[in-house]
Amino acid sequence: YYGSYASSNGIVSKTHARRFTWNHQQLLNWEDSFGSNNVAIMVGHEYYRNKYYYLSATKKNQFDPTNLELAGAITDDGGNSYTTDYNTEGFFGRAMYDFDNRYYVSASYRRDASSRFAPENRWGDFWSASAAWDICKERWFTATWVNLLKVKASYGEQGNDQIADFLYTTRYDIVNSNGRPGAVPYALGNRNITWETQGNFNAGIDFEIFKGRIGGTIEYFNRMTFDMLYPFTLPASYGFTSYTDNIGDMRNSGFEVELRTTPIKTKDFEWNINLNV
């Protein structure tokens, strides 16, 4: 009402927002052991939805600055409202097996859908598999000073849909064009966009020696990203500045070493050293 707004004889604004979030999960687990065999199986379904409503309005030229309602001012100064809606659904399963706590294998699969892609491209398939071998459990392994020597490898894929909503359809801003509603190009849609896939391969060794006083992990990793979701720039003469597409692949690889040791361990004092490279 005062200062820079005095010429407007006061401005009052109202904003109202509501967010509804649903997250439903149904899981079935089964485990059993027979002899030296251990099996665990899980199947599930997940449904997620996030819906957001926004409403705002502004009026100026107030009758009384202590009246903070829109009805207390007489000149409309704009209003806006919009709704966003994000929805995912997935079906998944996992199976794990180990024999005598020596050999380990597991596999998983999931099928996911996202509302951020066109109906014909909403579903994606992702999987993983892993195996490990604890050599210390073998009868022929006689190095008693080695407490853990596990060789392991895994590969898994997961999907990424972290982009804005409705990028698969062309969108316009509705504007006032000499008293008539007009549509101004805002964003070019692309119905062909779909899930970005991230694949991770890991192989390594876990070890512990001298009753756990020295241990660590040596691991090789290769992370691959396929069909990266990224904005593709367009010349201004096209009418749109960009559109989103699956336009890139990326790979990161390397080695990671984690070492730990406990050089001193008494009843009253313990010294731990950790190193990561």
Side-chain angles (χ1 to χ4, degrees):
Y1 189 81
Y2 301 101
S4 60
Y5 297 106
S7 61
S8 300
N9 198 34
I11 294 179
V12 58
S13 296
K14 289 285 185 178
T15 299
H16 180 229
R18 292 183 297 165
R19 184 184 300 275
F20 296 93
T21 302
W22 300 264
N23 191 3
H24 306 292
Q25 289 184 337
Q26 302 85 45
L27 301 174
L28 290 174
N29 289 281
W30 176 79
E31 296 181 6
D32 197 11
S33 297
F34 45 97
S36 298
N37 301 278
N38 303 294
V39 181
I41 296 176
M42 181 269 291
V43 294
H45 167 262
E46 182 175 20
Y47 176 91
Y48 174 83
R49 190 170 188 180
N50 186 303
K51 200 163 188 178
Y52 179 75
Y53 302 86
Y54 177 85
L55 173 66
S56 67
T58 302
K59 293 181 76 174
K60 57 187 179 182
N61 205 352
Q62 291 178 279
F63 176 79
D64 181 348
T66 63
N67 184 341
L68 301 181
E69 300 298 333
L70 293 171
I74 61 172
T75 306
D76 288 332
D77 197 31
N80 191 27
S81 70
Y82 62 85
T83 301
T84 63
D85 194 3
Y86 173 53
N87 185 200
T88 63
E89 186 171 16
F91 301 88
F92 49 88
R94 182 185 65 205
M96 297 186 295
Y97 169 81
D98 76 79
F99 176 77
D100 197 26
N101 292 320
R102 282 186 288 166
Y103 311 110
Y104 302 84
V105 293
S106 67
S108 68
Y109 168 79
R110 64 180 298 142
R111 182 167 172 80
D112 290 308
S114 171
S115 63
R116 288 176 172 165
F117 307 121
E120 62 270 22
N121 290 314
R122 278 189 181 152
W123 290 94
D125 299 286
F126 311 101
W127 62 277
S128 70
S130 65
W133 175 29
D134 191 349
I135 301 174
C136 287
K137 301 292 179 64
E138 298 292 347
R139 293 184 179 88
W140 49 262
F141 191 85
T142 58
T144 57
W145 51 276
V146 179
N147 310 111
L148 173 66
L149 185 59
K150 180 182 287 186
V151 180
K152 59 183 182 179
S154 66
Y155 177 79
E157 293 183 351
Q158 56 271 350
N160 176 32
D161 68 342
Q162 295 305 298
I163 56 176
D165 295 323
F166 312 120
L167 293 184
Y168 64 87
T169 187
T170 299
R171 290 167 293 158
Y172 298 84
D173 279 334
I174 307 302
V175 299
N176 185 338
S177 179
N178 295 321
R180 292 182 176 273
V184 175
Y186 174 72
L188 180 63
N190 179 10
R191 295 189 68 85
N192 295 322
I193 56 174
T194 188
W195 289 89
E196 175 182 295
T197 303
Q198 299 169 345
N200 295 278
F201 172 77
N202 292 77
I205 297 174
D206 296 335
F207 69 93
E208 288 185 0
I209 58 177
F210 304 125
K211 297 182 180 181
R213 297 293 287 268
I214 299 176
T217 299
I218 302 173
E219 194 167 69
Y220 167 77
F221 65 88
N222 189 11
R223 302 187 184 116
M224 298 153 286
T225 305
F226 309 104
D227 299 326
M228 292 175 63
L229 291 163
Y230 204 75
F232 190 87
T233 304
L234 294 172
S237 59
Y238 200 86
F240 298 92
T241 58
S242 67
Y243 69 95
T244 298
D245 205 352
N246 300 98
I247 61 173
D249 296 335
M250 181 172 65
R251 184 170 72 92
N252 298 282
S253 63
F255 291 90
E256 186 168 16
V257 179
E258 180 184 349
L259 302 175
R260 59 186 181 275
T261 181
T262 306
I264 300 176
K265 186 175 183 178
T266 67
K267 184 178 67 172
D268 301 316
F269 181 78
E270 183 173 314
W271 178 22
N272 297 305
I273 300 175
N274 295 277
L275 174 67
N276 183 275
V277 180

